[in-house]
Amino acid sequence: QVRLVESGGGLVQAGGSLRLSCLVSRNIFSFDKVAWHRQVPGKLRELVAVISKGGSTDYLDSVKGRFTISRDNAEKTVTLQMTSLKPEDTAVYYCAAMSPVSWGVYDFWGQGTQVTVSS
């Protein structure tokens, strides 16, 4: 059973920073990708940042230059460093992992952590 546990969410003023962490119960290299998604009630969930097994990264256009995804394989942790936060970044942020046999679907998810950015 794979578990992903997010932490680090909270309330921050616009322009501030937060660091989200995702603790994975399995070796991160066992997944093709690990990513951060976010969702606002009533809207579709969107992919914010992803890091592949090979280390390549990609970001939602609206967060490029502000967010950085990284991993610590020894600590089995994937981190999302968020800077210059905006009110529109307010959402529940989810960590998700894609296994090699999932046909490109994120098949493991954390419980989510709330990020609220006040104006």
Side-chain angles (χ1 to χ4, degrees):
Q1 182 70 15
V2 177
R3 292 188 65 215
L4 290 79
V5 180
E6 302 99 334
S7 61
L11 173 64
V12 64
Q13 287 188 330
S17 300
L18 278 176
R19 185 181 181 91
L20 304 183
S21 293
C22 175
L23 179 61
V24 185
S25 63
R26 184 189 292 178
N27 186 331
I28 292 175
F29 282 134
S30 69
F31 301 104
D32 283 349
K33 297 180 181 180
V34 180
W36 287 93
H37 297 72
R38 68 187 182 189
Q39 188 167 24
V40 176
K43 294 188 177 181
L44 293 175
R45 185 169 52 206
E46 57 183 0
L47 177 63
V48 176
V50 57
I51 186 163
S52 71
K53 180 185 291 187
S56 61
T57 58
D58 200 6
Y59 298 90
L60 183 68
D61 282 347
S62 62
V63 308
K64 285 181 179 177
R66 300 189 297 121
F67 290 11
T68 303
I69 189 170
S70 61
R71 66 187 178 191
D72 184 326
N73 301 319
E75 297 294 326
K76 298 182 183 178
T77 300
V78 176
T79 298
L80 185 67
Q81 179 68 49
M82 306 185 294
T83 63
S84 301
L85 282 161
K86 304 175 181 180
E88 51 264 43
D89 294 318
T90 295
V92 178
Y93 284 71
Y94 298 90
C95 179
M98 181 187 297
S99 66
V101 296
S102 69
W103 296 89
V105 174
Y106 287 94
D107 47 346
F108 299 103
W109 291 83
Q111 81 287 352
T113 185
Q114 176 71 46
V115 171
T116 303
V117 184
S118 63
S119 58

